[in-house]
Amino acid sequence: MTIGIIGSGALGSNFARILAKKGISATISNSRGPTSLADLVEELGPSIKAGTVEEAASADMVLIAVRWVDAEKVLGSLPAWSGRIVIDGTNPVEFFDPATSPDANDVNNPLAAYGIKAVDLGGKHSSQIIQQFVPGARVVKAFNHNDVNVLKEPEKAGGKRVLFYSGDDAAAKAEVRSIMEVAGFFPIDLGALDVGGPLASLPFGPLSTHNFISI
C-alpha cells in the first residue's frame, strides 16, 4: 500500500510526521514543487520523500490536505482515480486576517474573531463536493475533525487519541483504519459518508473539535 500526501501545510506535514515515526513510507507534495520540501523531508527521515502532486496522487492511498479554496484547482487537473483510496482531510472553511479583513466584523459569523468563515455548500457536505473532484476514487473522510497539531501525539494521558472516519466502501475504510491504528490512534467508524461526514466536519459538525482520549 503506497501513500501519497497532497498538501504540505499543517495537516499534510503532521500526517507525514506520524507516518515517519512508524517508518511508513509516503510521498508528500505541494504546489511549489519537491525542492520546496527539502527541509521537511530532511527532518522526517528516509521513509518520507518529496514528489510532485501527480506522483503523490498516483499512490494507492492519498490524503487530500489542501485548503478548501484550492481543492478544485489542485484536484481537477489530475487523472481519474480508478478505485484508489482518497482520504478527504478538507473542511469547507475560508481563512482571513482578522486584523485587516472586513470579514472580521461580520456579526453573523461566530468564528470571525478566529479568522475563519464557513463556506456555503448549498446544503451539501464537504465530501460530496470532494467526490466530484476525484472521480472513481473510494473516499474516506478522516483526519479533519480536530486541531491538526494534536496529530503529533496519538497517545496521550495513558490512552489513545480518538479519530473519527466515515465512508461508503468497507475495504477502503479498513485500510484507513489500519493506518490510524498503526500510528497509535483509536479509530471510530461513523458509518456512511453522508452520515459521518457532516458529523465530523469543521466548523459546525457536532463531533468536530472534540478531543477525546480512549483510556
Side-chain angles (χ1 to χ4, degrees):
M1 174 67 65
T2 56
I3 300 175
I5 304 168
I6 299 178
S8 62
L11 174 57
S13 61
N14 282 332
F15 182 71
R17 287 185 177 94
I18 65 176
L19 297 180
K21 285 181 180 179
K22 299 298 181 180
I24 300 172
S25 298
T27 298
I28 188 168
S29 67
N30 64 20
S31 61
R32 298 182 301 280
T35 57
S36 69
L37 297 166
D39 290 343
L40 178 62
V41 295
E42 182 179 3
E43 170 205 333
L44 297 178
S47 66
I48 308 298
K49 68 176 183 178
T52 64
V53 170
E54 291 77 12
E55 288 169 338
S58 70
D60 301 319
M61 177 188 295
V62 182
L63 172 70
I64 307 302
V66 299
R67 297 182 302 174
W68 183 261
V69 295
D70 297 326
E72 183 174 11
K73 178 182 177 181
V74 172
L75 300 175
S77 62
L78 297 172
W81 292 79
S82 304
R84 288 176 290 117
I85 299 169
V86 164
I87 303 174
D88 175 16
T90 68
N91 284 302
V93 296
E94 291 184 21
F95 298 90
F96 58 85
D97 186 346
T100 60
S101 174
D103 287 321
N105 301 315
D106 184 358
V107 296
N108 296 312
N109 178 12
L111 301 173
Y114 301 98
I116 300 172
K117 65 177 180 179
V119 176
D120 184 359
L121 301 183
K124 296 182 178 180
H125 63 84
S126 58
S127 287
Q128 284 179 289
I129 306 296
I130 292 297
Q131 280 183 308
Q132 297 173 10
F133 301 156
V134 290
R138 295 181 290 158
V139 176
V140 178
K141 188 74 169 179
F143 294 99
N144 68 295
H145 66 85
N146 219 326
D147 183 340
V148 292
N149 292 308
V150 305
L151 290 178
K152 293 181 286 187
E153 296 182 307
E155 299 177 65
K156 186 74 172 179
K160 295 184 177 182
R161 199 178 302 279
V162 170
L163 287 185
F164 300 117
Y165 67 101
S166 59
D168 299 328
D169 186 286
K173 288 201 293 184
E175 294 286 359
V176 175
R177 181 185 183 95
S178 177
I179 292 293
M180 291 177 171
E181 290 176 334
V182 169
F185 294 100
F186 187 87
I188 293 181
D189 186 351
L190 296 180
L193 205 56
D194 286 345
V195 176
L199 285 174
S201 290
L202 292 167
F204 301 125
L207 292 178
S208 68
T209 73
H210 291 298
N211 186 16
F212 296 118
I213 306 293
S214 175
I215 303 298

